[in-house]
Amino acid sequence: MAHVKKFTASSVGGLSIHVDRKTLNHSNEDIDVERTKLNYDLCEKEGDLQSRYQERISEVYCMKRADVKSCASWVVTLPEELFENNSSDQKKFFEATYDFLSARYGKKNVLSGMVHNDETTPHLHFAFVPVVYDEKKQREKVSAKLVLTRTELQNFHQDLDSYLKEKIPEIYQEGVLNGKTIGIDDVKVLKEKSLELESKKTALDKEITIVEESLKEVPIYKKPQVKFDSIKNGTQKLPFNRYILTNEQLKNIENLALAG
């Protein structure tokens, strides 16, 4: 139901062309230009996605590298359970989703909240600049890596689902986690496996500790590596404090030393 994509500065213009419908010649054949008038932007800032990007990026620190992902966009599709609902209910869903995303990534970082009704399935394009606060440098900086972490992506759908159930329970039940969302099953399995592996790791660490402690109490039987001629001459002592030898072994060593 939702997926995210990151963009470099050079790609923002193309993203704006698609999101803001700046052309009538679309490469996407699913776009019905007759229905484009039904699209609306929940972001009330002036300008389009690209101009909003330029304004926000000028206010924060961003590395001057062509490969820096300075923009990101979540695409949230209308759940199947709302396909037959009226346009008012559908808008209520997108408004609640937009509020959730704005709070999560910062209102001042929002570039677009465009809802497309002119394609096969209604969906929201939520574009934003991924910004974090650099405590060390005391400034805001662009960092998609720190904003869209693995943990963030794993928790996103569940958090959105919980939020929508609380905000619009009259029309929303479980659209995000309906089993048809791309990647959701994988995330569930990943969480379950992570807990399982963590439990096994804890048990294994405990077993290893017990074994290590028990080994300290086990006497070591090892053939002493000494030169018998040095024993005879009295220049090297047998390391009896390190090895446990039988009476027979001691006798053999003594005989060998005397016979040398």
Side-chain angles (χ1 to χ4, degrees), residues 186-197:
D186 293 337
V187 172
K188 286 183 176 179
V189 172
L190 180 60
K191 288 183 177 180
E192 293 173 356
K193 291 298 181 182
S194 295
L195 292 175
E196 180 181 349
L197 290 174

Side-chain angles (χ1 to χ4, degrees), residues 104 149-162 176-177 183-200:
R104 198 173 184 92
T149 63
R150 178 177 295 182
T151 300
E152 163 66 7
L153 299 180
Q154 289 175 352
N155 295 335
F156 178 86
H157 289 87
Q158 183 63 64
D159 292 347
L160 175 58
D161 181 70
S162 298
V176 177
L177 302 179
I184 290 300
D185 290 339
D186 293 337
V187 172
K188 286 183 176 179
V189 172
L190 180 60
K191 288 183 177 180
E192 293 173 356
K193 291 298 181 182
S194 295
L195 292 175
E196 180 181 349
L197 290 174
E198 187 61 30
S199 176
K200 288 183 177 179

